[in-house]
Amino acid sequence: MLTERQELILKTIIKDFTQMHEPVGSKTVMSQLPIKVSSATIRNEMAALEEAGLLEKTHSSSGRIPSTRGYRYYLDHLINPVQVPSSIYEKIGYQLNQPFHQVNEIVQEAAKILSDLTDYTAFAAGPETKDVKITGFRIVPISSYQVMAILVTDDGNVKNQVYTLPHNAKAEEIEKAVDLINSHLVGKHLSEINSSLLNEISHQLINRSSAPQVLDLLQDVIKDAASEQMYVDGQINLLNNFESNDVSQLKSLYELIDHKEDLISNLIDFNPEDMVGKGNSKIQVKLGSELPSDLLKNYSLLTAEYSVGKYGKGTIALLGPTNMPYSQMIGLLDYFRDELAKKLLDYYGRFK
């Protein structure tokens, strides 16, 4: 642990470096400290902080910048999240108060709002879908041999996919298949749709001379409905903080962001040791060296869970530079997750 004076110096250097993006010297620190300390004493303390691995020099005559370890100490012991300005409250309220028709539209807009407010890359995943019930399955012809399979759930979500049917598929057989499928699935939770139930439906489709091909359509659209949707917005903002001139590295970084499924499983996992804040307001912060890819060494990932009661939990996250203003960003995420949860609860309330 550091002394109180060392903590004040570290906190001052981080705040100044976040604002100016330049190494911070002892005179700059002295002018901002709330206590009276000589420049020589500050230099000695900065040297001690550097020796402890909390500060770094960019070159021999420069001031200091925070190291990853310094940021970690700051996040674990010194940070004090700040309230979001009223203008941001109003902007979030206005953008979430749009006419949405599906849960995924709200979640997708959430990623866009966060990216627009921060100029960072934002992620948003909706609540789990395991307790969502199926209210209907339909097949709609859109051409001679193409159909659209539509699955509707009790949260108002609609999943659809387009398929090409075999030439020998008959309309009356397809209609019988849809009726049979609905008799088995309507009212069931998505989590109840397992291989045993699908096998039973398959046998009945064959025995009743219904179109067995329809089962493939059903399986695909159910898989899509049950999968967690991770929305990403503001990928272009990664360029603002990419410090390498290596085009292949930049390409690899974009490929990493595009693999949304990998992001949620590899990046966004909750570890109590990485949490910042108190009680229900905790936000997870992972610094570049703590992330699984070397491409992200100059970035930090802030992740927050939000709860929509019995409808489950979702996730929002921000990927930005290591020298981001953490107090403001943590305050923003904490407020935003509450507003998003309220909006989703309001939406689900329409389907009681």
Side-chain angles (χ1 to χ4, degrees):
M1 294 295 291
L2 304 180
T3 65
E4 183 179 352
R5 186 166 65 194
Q6 287 172 335
E7 288 185 343
L8 280 172
I9 291 170
L10 177 63
K11 195 172 182 178
T12 300
I13 289 173
I14 287 177
K15 184 189 76 169
D16 204 69
F17 183 64
T18 299
Q19 294 172 346
M20 306 304 295
H21 308 292
E22 295 287 343
V24 184
S26 57
K27 289 183 180 179
T28 303
V29 174
M30 185 174 66
S31 67
Q32 297 180 51
L33 282 183
I35 57 175
K36 190 173 181 180
V37 187
S38 70
S39 182
T41 300
I42 293 173
R43 282 197 298 273
N44 290 336
E45 294 286 35
M46 287 171 70
L49 290 170
E50 183 181 357
E51 189 175 344
L54 302 176
L55 294 179
E56 295 175 345
K57 267 188 178 181
T58 53
H59 55 80
S60 58
S61 61
S62 74
R64 268 74 164 191
I65 64 172
S67 66
T68 298
R69 190 172 171 184
Y71 277 118
R72 186 78 265 166
Y73 187 95
Y74 168 75
L75 290 165
D76 292 342
H77 303 289
L78 305 178
I79 194 166
N80 186 23
V82 298
Q83 269 196 327
V84 178
S86 58
S87 59
I88 301 297
Y89 287 150
E90 292 168 6
K91 188 170 184 179
I92 291 171
Y94 174 78
Q95 290 188 256
L96 282 178
N97 195 31
Q98 304 302 312
F100 298 104
H101 305 292
Q102 294 190 45
V103 169
N104 288 342
E105 290 180 6
I106 301 173
V107 178
Q108 187 171 14
E109 182 67 14
K112 184 179 185 305
I113 294 170
L114 278 175
S115 178
D116 288 345
L117 288 173
T118 61
D119 288 331
Y120 299 155
T121 303
F123 306 89
E128 303 98 331
T129 55
K130 61 182 180 181
D131 291 327
V132 170
K133 290 182 180 178
I134 295 172
T135 58
F137 176 67
R138 302 283 184 271
I139 288 183
V140 179
I142 56 177
S143 69
S144 299
Y145 297 108
Q146 279 194 317
V147 296
M148 179 180 288
I150 303 171
L151 187 77
V152 184
T153 51
D154 68 348
D155 62 351
N157 267 351
V158 178
K159 291 292 182 181
N160 59 76
Q161 294 191 34
V162 176
Y163 300 86
T164 300
L165 289 175
H167 292 272
N168 60 353
K170 296 179 181 178
E172 59 270 22
E173 289 182 359
I174 294 172
E175 191 174 336
K176 287 179 185 177
V178 171
D179 289 342
L180 177 64
I181 288 169
N182 276 304
S183 70
H184 281 78
L185 298 190
V186 170
K188 281 189 166 57
H189 295 101
L190 280 175
S191 57
E192 295 180 82
I193 314 304
N194 52 35
S195 57
S196 176
L197 178 58
L198 292 172
N199 286 335
E200 181 186 338
I201 295 172
S202 177
H203 290 314
Q204 293 193 31
L205 288 174
I206 294 169
N207 292 337
R208 298 186 189 185
S209 299
S210 302
Q213 306 94 332
V214 172
L215 191 64
D216 293 333
L217 282 65
L218 174 68
Q219 287 177 295
D220 283 349
V221 78
I222 284 178
K223 184 179 178 181
D224 185 35
S227 63
E228 187 161 20
Q229 296 291 324
M230 170 67 78
Y231 295 96
V232 185
D233 202 282
Q235 292 98 316
I236 196 68
N237 294 328
L238 290 170
L239 284 173
N240 298 334
N241 306 293
F242 191 72
E243 298 180 0
S244 171
N245 294 320
D246 188 335
V247 175
S248 64
Q249 279 198 350
L250 182 59
K251 182 181 177 183
S252 297
L253 181 61
Y254 268 92
E255 287 174 353
L256 176 68
I257 297 301
D258 280 339
H259 285 84
K260 294 184 284 244
E261 295 79 9
D262 293 339
L263 274 173
I264 197 163
S265 60
N266 295 330
L267 289 187
I268 304 177
D269 61 326
F270 286 90
N271 183 346
E273 294 181 1
D274 297 327
M275 293 293 197
V276 174
K278 298 178 180 178
N280 296 328
S281 296
K282 286 193 173 182
I283 307 289
Q284 176 175 272
V285 182
K286 284 191 172 183
L287 303 171
S289 61
E290 300 161 351
L291 296 173
S293 173
D294 219 31
L295 295 166
L296 300 174
K297 64 183 179 181
N298 295 318
Y299 298 85
S300 290
L301 182 73
L302 278 61
T303 310
E305 276 190 333
Y306 64 89
S307 174
V308 198
K310 67 178 182 179
Y311 302 102
K313 294 180 179 179
T315 306
I316 53 174
L318 285 172
L319 182 63
T322 303
N323 64 335
M324 69 169 71
Y326 290 100
S327 293
Q328 289 91 328
M329 293 301 105
I330 289 171
L332 172 63
L333 272 187
D334 191 30
Y335 174 78
F336 189 83
R337 67 171 159 195
D338 289 341
E339 292 302 298
L340 178 57
K342 288 176 190 174
K343 180 64 183 180
L344 287 168
L345 279 170
D346 178 62
Y347 174 86
Y348 285 126
R350 304 181 209 166
F351 299 97
K352 285 183 179 178

